[in-house]
Structures are given as structure tokens and as C-alpha cells.
Amino acid sequence: MIEREEDQGFTVSDRRGAARERSASAEPSPRPSPAADAGPTSDQAPADHGPMGPPDFSGLLLSLASSALMHLGAPTPDGNTSPVNLPRAQEMIDLLGVLEEKTKGNLTPDESALLGNILYTLRLRYVEHAR
């Protein structure tokens, strides 16, 4: 009689960046159950978002502002500059304006101040480039 080996599964290792450091010291995790796809429940720990932390409203604002600045020709962290694209910059500024209008009364004082400062700065820079 031939004995069959039981299915032992397999392990996938991510060898990029910080995942390499974690996987070197961590034991292989068990396979997730289908219920894990439904999102965390009250008894599960929240997902690990890495060094950046969980996404938040301020991060969204800063991302849109960075995009607008890029279209206004601001230098990137690597020292390069993009060509000025006023229609795209206006689109990002208008989108931030929509967020300001739609979230009025629902933001924390810090979020409201950040959004106001971003819009003021971007609108000034836009007018400077539009002349």
C-alpha cells in the first residue's frame, strides 16, 4: 500500500526591504482563513501599515497638494522639476476646494487649518505662474 504525504502547503517569502528583516526572525504564519478577507473584527488587531502609519485625511491633503505643486513646477526631493502644467494644477486645487466645501464642519481644527493653509498657498502660487 502506498502512503500519501499530507499537503504541507508552501511559504512565500518577500525579499524586499523591511519584509526581509521581519521574515528572518519570524516563524511562518498560518494560512489565513476566508473570513480574514472580510476585514478586522473587534477582536483582531488592525493591519500593519509599516513605518508610514495608517492613512488619514491629512495624508490625503498633503498628497493632493504635492501633486499640485509638482504641476506648478516645484522641485522634487531628487532636485528635478516638472514642466508647469497649469490645467492639471488647477484641477488639483479645485479638488482640494471641493474637499473643503464637502467636509466643512466635520474636520478637526488641525485638519481645517491644514486644508486652509494648503489652499491659500497653492492659489497664490497658481496666480504667480498664471501671470
Side-chain angles (χ1 to χ4, degrees):
M1 187 185 266
I2 299 175
E3 293 183 28
R4 294 185 353 167
E5 292 183 28
E6 291 197 27
D7 182 42
Q8 297 295 322
F10 61 93
T11 302
V12 176
S13 298
D14 186 352
R15 296 187 178 169
R16 296 173 284 168
R20 185 178 323 142
E21 295 168 13
R22 286 186 299 217
S23 66
S25 64
E27 293 291 324
S29 60
R31 291 185 215 162
S33 66
D37 294 336
T41 59
S42 60
D43 61 339
Q44 292 177 327
D48 179 23
H49 294 284
M52 293 178 52
D56 62 356
F57 188 72
S58 297
L60 173 65
L61 296 178
L62 294 173
S63 177
L64 293 170
S66 295
S67 180
L69 285 171
M70 181 189 73
H71 292 304
L72 290 171
T76 60
D78 61 4
N80 297 326
T81 57
S82 304
V84 174
N85 186 339
L86 290 178
R88 290 286 184 196
Q90 183 64 52
E91 185 179 354
M92 292 295 107
I93 295 168
D94 290 345
L95 187 56
L96 285 161
V98 168
L99 282 173
E100 181 182 47
E101 181 182 318
K102 295 293 185 177
T103 59
K104 195 169 284 187
N106 292 321
L107 301 178
T108 66
D110 288 340
E111 290 170 337
S112 183
L114 176 64
L115 181 53
N117 288 334
I118 287 172
L119 279 169
Y120 177 79
T121 302
L122 290 175
R123 287 172 175 158
L124 277 179
R125 287 195 182 195
Y126 180 86
V127 169
E128 289 172 359
H129 285 286
R131 289 183 186 179

